[in-house]
């Protein structure tokens, strides 16, 4: 009898998007303009149970704004009880109010989406006083034992103010473990000018050194988008919590066909499918056309997370 092909290894890192619901009005995102699209608790519990049948080492809840889902602590508790590290990406508005319940449920890590200090952040996020509402949450995170990071979408409105963010980190009781600078995508009017990009590239080494002195790893690269060989789909996938669709990574979720839906197929059958193998092969050789909108910093961030996962074993 011919031997069966080896089973695909389960992904180590899962991005689990609960919904598009959001309480900010960011200029680079349309989540807040979309209809409310959350699902009943049983729906999320079923998808999560399927994923945990071949458990990853890390599940990162995203949105929209995942803290708007009131039963998020229940999902975090289930993940933690399976020995998987639960993480959340949040815009911070609800952090001060909900952080204690998330920590009690077993939250291991939180990532704040923060685009500037004071008015710079508010201009980008579209809600007055939003920075002042976020600041108590930042302080609470810094005082906690959580591992935490910051995501910043770099655009023309904030690219000249990144040093002010580093100064803010320096004033915290515990600066973030990492700071990920993400080039803005799909919005030509928000893109930094050539002069701003050149100044950013010139200042990147000094900003990296300043962050290192704080104990913060700056994950950043020159402001470019291009396809290149990428191993990220080998160890990570993105799950749409509304449709159950699975994608090769958090970038391909917006540009590529899914590997299948967990509402229709078992979890091992999706991540071990021929579709999944084909995407991994194309990405590994840099020939996947959907990767053209990606950037070096985003690839490096996922690799950084994989290395952290392996170091925690």
């Amino acid at each position: 009898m011919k031997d069966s092909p080896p089973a695909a290894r389960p992904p180590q890192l899962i991005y689990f998007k609960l919904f598009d619901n959001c309480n900010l009005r960011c200029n680079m995102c349309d989540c807040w303009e979309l209809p409310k699209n959350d699902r009943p608790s049983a729906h999320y519990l079923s998808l999560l149970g399927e994923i945990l049948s071949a458990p990853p080492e890390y599940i990162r809840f995203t949105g929209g704004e995942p803290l708007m889902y009131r039963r998020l602590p229940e999902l975090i508790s289930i993940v933690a009880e399976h020995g998987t590290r639960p993480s959340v990406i949040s815009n911070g508005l609800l952090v001060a109010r909900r952080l204690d319940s998330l920590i009690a449920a077993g939250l291991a890590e939180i990532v704040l989406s923060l685009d500037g200090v004071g008015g710079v952040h508010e201009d980008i996020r579209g809600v007055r006083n939003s920075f002042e509402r976020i600041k108590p949450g930042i302080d609470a995170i810094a005082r906690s034992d959580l591992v935490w990071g910051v995501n910043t979408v770099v655009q023309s409105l904030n690219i000249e103010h990144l040093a002010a963010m580093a100064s803010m980190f320096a004033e915290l009781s515990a600066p973030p473990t990492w700071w990920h600078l993400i080039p803005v995508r799909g919005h030509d009017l928000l893109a930094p000018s050539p002069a701003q990009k050149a100044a950013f590239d010139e200042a990147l080494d000094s900003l990296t050194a300043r962050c290192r002195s704080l104990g913060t790893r700056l994950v950043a690269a020159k402001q470019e988008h291009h396809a290149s060989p990428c191993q990220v789909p080998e160890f990570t996938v993105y799950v749409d919590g509304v449709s159950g669709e699975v994608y090769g990574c958090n970038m391909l979720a917006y540009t590529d066909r899914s590997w299948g839906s967990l509402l229709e197929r078992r979890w091992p059958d999706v991540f071990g499918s021929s579709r999944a193998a084909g995407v991994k092969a194309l990405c590994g050789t840099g020939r996947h056309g959907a990767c053209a909108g990606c950037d070096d910093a985003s690839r490096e961030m996922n690799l950084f997370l994989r290395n952290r996962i392996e170091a925690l074993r």
Side-chain angles (χ1 to χ4, degrees):
M1 178 184 290
K2 187 175 180 180
D3 291 338
S4 300
R9 178 184 178 186
Q12 295 170 280
L13 169 63
I14 308 294
Y15 290 87
F16 190 107
K17 185 184 80 167
L18 291 175
F19 42 51
D20 289 313
N21 306 355
C22 192
N23 48 8
L24 288 179
R25 303 168 66 89
C26 305
N27 65 2
M28 68 291 196
C29 178
D30 64 356
C31 284
W32 56 275
E33 298 180 293
L34 299 174
K36 301 293 185 183
N37 61 354
D38 53 320
R39 293 291 185 267
S41 176
H43 172 91
Y44 292 121
L45 292 174
S46 176
L47 288 180
L48 196 58
E50 188 63 43
I51 292 170
L52 291 171
S53 67
E57 298 179 59
Y58 224 105
I59 291 182
R60 175 173 277 185
F61 293 99
T62 75
E65 172 48 49
L67 269 63
M68 292 178 70
Y69 181 57
R70 294 189 177 276
R71 298 187 68 172
L72 180 60
E74 180 181 359
L75 301 185
I76 287 173
S77 178
I78 291 170
V79 170
E81 287 170 1
H82 275 76
T84 293
R85 291 175 65 83
S87 171
V88 169
I89 300 179
S90 173
N91 64 32
L93 276 184
L94 300 175
V95 165
R97 188 187 314 170
R98 302 203 62 191
L99 186 63
D100 287 347
S101 65
L102 298 175
I103 292 175
L107 185 68
E109 171 195 284
I110 189 165
V111 184
L112 286 184
S113 297
L114 186 66
D115 290 323
V117 176
V120 175
H121 179 81
E122 292 172 8
D123 287 345
I124 292 172
R125 296 285 166 161
V127 174
R128 291 184 62 186
N129 298 320
S130 56
F131 183 79
E132 292 305 314
R133 291 164 61 188
I134 290 168
K135 191 63 169 64
I138 297 175
D139 293 337
I141 291 169
R143 293 192 303 267
S144 75
D145 292 328
L146 289 174
V147 173
W148 72 293
V150 171
N151 288 345
T152 298
V153 177
V154 179
Q155 53 176 278
S156 60
L157 292 177
N158 64 359
I159 194 169
E160 297 173 10
H161 300 275
L162 299 175
M165 293 185 68
S167 295
M168 182 190 73
F169 298 154
E171 296 173 357
L172 297 172
S173 55
T177 305
W178 70 84
W179 182 18
H180 181 198
L181 301 185
I182 309 166
V184 67
R185 301 183 182 90
H187 294 274
D188 292 343
L189 294 178
L190 300 179
S193 68
Q196 286 178 316
K197 290 181 180 180
F200 171 88
D201 291 345
E202 185 175 347
L204 189 55
D205 286 345
S206 61
L207 186 62
T208 300
R210 185 176 184 189
C211 288
R212 188 183 303 116
S213 71
L214 300 175
T216 299
R217 165 72 180 275
L218 183 66
V219 183
K222 293 184 178 181
Q223 299 286 292
E224 298 175 349
H225 299 272
H226 56 83
S228 64
C230 177
Q231 303 299 319
V232 172
E234 293 284 349
F235 62 88
T236 185
V237 300
Y238 181 102
V239 178
D240 187 311
V242 173
S243 68
E245 301 286 349
V246 178
Y247 299 86
C249 72
N250 53 323
M251 300 297 151
L252 292 176
Y254 300 95
T255 55
D256 196 22
R257 293 189 297 114
S258 81
W259 293 359
S261 173
L262 295 179
L263 300 179
E264 301 171 355
R265 304 174 64 188
R266 296 300 309 276
W267 176 228
D269 294 335
V270 173
F271 68 72
S273 66
S274 58
R275 168 70 184 154
V279 169
K280 294 174 185 178
L282 283 174
C283 290
T285 58
R287 294 185 292 111
H288 198 309
C291 296
C294 195
D295 60 276
D296 290 337
S298 294
R299 281 186 286 269
E300 183 182 348
M301 186 68 233
N302 281 300
L303 292 169
F304 172 72
L305 291 174
R306 182 181 64 175
N307 291 337
R308 283 186 55 80
I309 290 169
E310 293 179 347
L312 290 169
R313 286 178 178 170

